[in-house]
């Protein structure tokens, strides 16, 4: 019977000549395709020697390195469940994740060994080993004793390959269970949709504890046999330098704004690039336009989430399902990907006409199997007819382009009327002197909630909060006008560049009390 192990499919994408370079790092190291195959085989053989229970969770909290990539592949090969964790998590957060996931094996950095191993052993973990970003640690020592030949364990499409904990900006973080089938179907769709081709070289500068860097970027490169320029962290100057030998960049919007700040970013620096992809957070239309002007390239924005991997994308080439549309539109996240069934519904769950804002619901082979040990959340977040309620609000236009207006939890209900922060942010961002803004709801005695705008000024502009509020009058209906505004030197963001609206709400609550 066919083996649905994701590694098997990724391995089939490797080039015939395994001695070619697969990954070149910013520390000057080169790994061949054979190194990836053999290194992951040795780790898989070591993992199998531990005789862990089937589908054990392997929790990994380490800095980015090619060895972590091998460990991910080894986990797939051995049929266990990869559970990546942000290296920034502190002991209390680790205690929650380890307590919730009950991993059989934990891999952490040598510096965190004493704190993480204590937490892990208390939660019943049997093995804790170390790995650092300089190729040392007990994981590699142990794997070194094992054979470099390994056959991937037989898996069914529904078997779980990874658990990704959501960033949990509201309430407890939830472990989204993604199967081998979820990941492979999405990777195959993107492989075709984004036109991965022989000769592609990916600049990989994203973290690998998140779907964007771990699945979208890595699967794209491996499945198409494309080498990667591997950056341990995002450094705009290094990314710019690598554009001369690469073809694809995947980034969060912050990558693009930081690259735009470099005087060397111009058409000739990007001449060999084929595709610039952005996602994980909304890209400002201003950034989209500036990128076009400076580089001659149109960024392709896409939308997805931990629970579903990718859902929508602007077209790379003519999409026959949407009248052959080829246009990538700034501020839009494009069309539902082939195989993704996406609908916009009202609060009552009724499908809405095109153009109306509603809740985005999705179904498809990429949609996760549910949250780890949270049956009550699964019941709440899937509809009776099997759609996943993404928690995002958006619209679908006549041509089929999706626009995201924000998380439903960020919706402001003022005097009983819905106010979408993205609409106010758009108007604010277009005012002279405004670089960026974020609007959140804060409690209000009269209206229930009112908007609080946080605004980042362009360098050299002399903005004043009360003038900004005045300027919005006449540009937005009265009920949408924020009541408060504060100028800030920067917006708080998480590791994926998402504005942390929960943090702003707390600041807003304090600010509005004293206003
Ligand atoms: P995560 O699970 O951490 O990947 O976060 C997923 C969330 O990020 C989505 O539900 C959206 O709210 C947001 N997101 C991802 N991509 C985009 C995008 N291109 N534009 C706007 N929001 C996005």
């Amino acid at each position: 019977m066919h083996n649905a192990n994701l590694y098997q499919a990724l391995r089939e994408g490797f080039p015939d000549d395994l001695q070619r370079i697969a990954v070149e790092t910013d520390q000057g190291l080169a790994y061949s395709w054979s190194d990836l195959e053999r290194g992951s085989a040795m780790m898989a053989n070591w993992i199998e020697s531990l005789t862990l229970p089937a589908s054990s969770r392997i929790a990994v909290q380490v800095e980015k390195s090619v060895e972590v990539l091998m460990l991910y592949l080894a986990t797939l090969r051995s049929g266990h469940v990869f559970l990546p964790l942000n290296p920034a998590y502190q002991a209390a957060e680790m205690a929650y994740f380890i307590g919730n996931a009950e991993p059989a094996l934990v891999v952490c950095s040598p510096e965190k060994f004493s704190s993480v191993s204590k937490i892990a052993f208390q939660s019943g973990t049997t093995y804790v080993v170390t790995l650092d970003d300089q190729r040392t640690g007990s994981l590699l020592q142990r794997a070194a004793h094992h054979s470099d030949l390994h056959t991937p364990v037989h898996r069914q499409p529904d078997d779980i390959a990874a658990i990704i904990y959501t960033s949990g900006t509201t309430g407890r973080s939830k472990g989204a269970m993604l199967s081998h089938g979820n990941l492979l179907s999405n990777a195959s769709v993107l492989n075709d949709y984004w036109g991965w081709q022989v000769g592609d070289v990916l600049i990989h500068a994203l973290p690998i504890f998140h779907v964007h860097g771990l699945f979208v970027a890595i699967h794209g490169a491996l499945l198409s046999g494309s080498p990667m320029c591997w950056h341990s962290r995002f450094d705009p100057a290094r990314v710019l330098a690598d554009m001369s030998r690469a073809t694809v960049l995947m980034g969060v919007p912050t990558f693009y704004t930081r690259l735009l700040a470099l005087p060397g970013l111009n058409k000739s620096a990007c001449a060999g690039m084929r595709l610039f992809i952005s996602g994980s957070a909304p890209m400002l239309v201003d950034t989209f336009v500036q990128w076009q002007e400076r580089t001659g390239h149109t960024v392709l924005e896409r939308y997805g989430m931990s629970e579903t991997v990718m859902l929508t994308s602007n077209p790379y080439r003519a999409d026959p399902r949407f009248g052959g549309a080829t246009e990538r539109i700034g501020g839009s996240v494009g069309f539902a990907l082939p195989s993704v069934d996406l609908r916009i519904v009202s609060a009552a769950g009724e499908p809405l006409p095109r153009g109306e804002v509603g809740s985005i619901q999705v179904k498809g082979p990429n949609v996760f199997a549910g949250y780890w040990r949270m049956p009550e959340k699964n019941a709440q977040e899937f509809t009776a007819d099997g759609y996943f309620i993404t928690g995002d609000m958006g619209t679908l236009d006549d041509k089929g382009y999706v626009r995201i207006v924000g998380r439903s939890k960020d919706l402001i209900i003022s005097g009983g009327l819905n106010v979408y922060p993205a609409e106010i942010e758009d108007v604010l961002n277009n005012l002279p002197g405004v670089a960026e803004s974020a609007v959140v709801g804060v409690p209000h005695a009269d209206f229930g909630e009112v908007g609080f705008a946080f605004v980042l000024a362009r360098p050299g502009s002399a903005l004043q909060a009360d003038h900004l509020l005045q300027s919005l009058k006449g540009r937005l209906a009265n009920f949408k006008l924020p009541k408060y505004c504060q100028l800030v030197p920067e917006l708080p963001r998480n590791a994926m560049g998402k504005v942390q609206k929960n943090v702003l709400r707390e600041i807003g609550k304090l600010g509005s009390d004293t206003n």
Side-chain angles (χ1 to χ4, degrees), residues 80-122:
H80 293 295
V81 177
F82 192 69
L83 198 166
L85 293 165
N86 187 337
Y89 286 142
Q90 300 298 312
E93 292 158 313
M94 289 302 287
Y96 168 70
F97 293 118
I98 291 179
N100 187 251
E102 296 183 347
L105 167 62
V106 173
V107 183
C108 66
S109 63
E111 307 84 75
K112 292 219 169 142
F113 180 78
S114 69
S115 111
V116 170
S117 63
K118 196 162 140 209
I119 296 167
F121 293 136
Q122 274 167 3

Side-chain angles (χ1 to χ4, degrees), residues 7-30:
Y7 181 75
Q8 182 104 344
L10 298 175
R11 174 67 184 81
E12 281 162 18
F14 288 17
D16 293 338
D17 179 2
L18 292 182
Q19 298 315 318
R20 293 200 351 226
I21 290 179
V23 187
E24 217 172 298
T25 74
D26 52 0
Q27 297 175 4
L29 299 172

Side-chain angles (χ1 to χ4, degrees), residues 22-73:
V23 187
E24 217 172 298
T25 74
D26 52 0
Q27 297 175 4
L29 299 172
Y31 295 73
S32 66
W33 293 93
S34 165
D35 292 334
L36 294 186
E37 158 74 14
R38 292 174 49 235
S40 61
M42 290 160 89
M43 290 186 197
N45 282 320
W46 171 67
I47 293 170
E48 283 180 19
S49 76
L50 305 177
T51 62
L52 306 175
S55 298
S56 285
R57 274 76 57 213
I58 299 185
V60 180
Q61 192 203 24
V62 293
E63 294 299 330
K64 181 175 176 180
S65 70
V66 180
E67 287 68 27
V68 193
L69 163 58
M70 291 181 186
L71 177 59
Y72 167 55
L73 300 177

Side-chain angles (χ1 to χ4, degrees), residues 282-299:
M283 172 172 268
L284 294 176
V285 176
D286 184 48
T287 311
F288 178 86
V289 172
Q290 274 193 56
W291 193 267
Q292 240 166 358
E293 287 168 0
R294 285 272 291 283
T295 69
H297 285 273
T298 306
V299 171

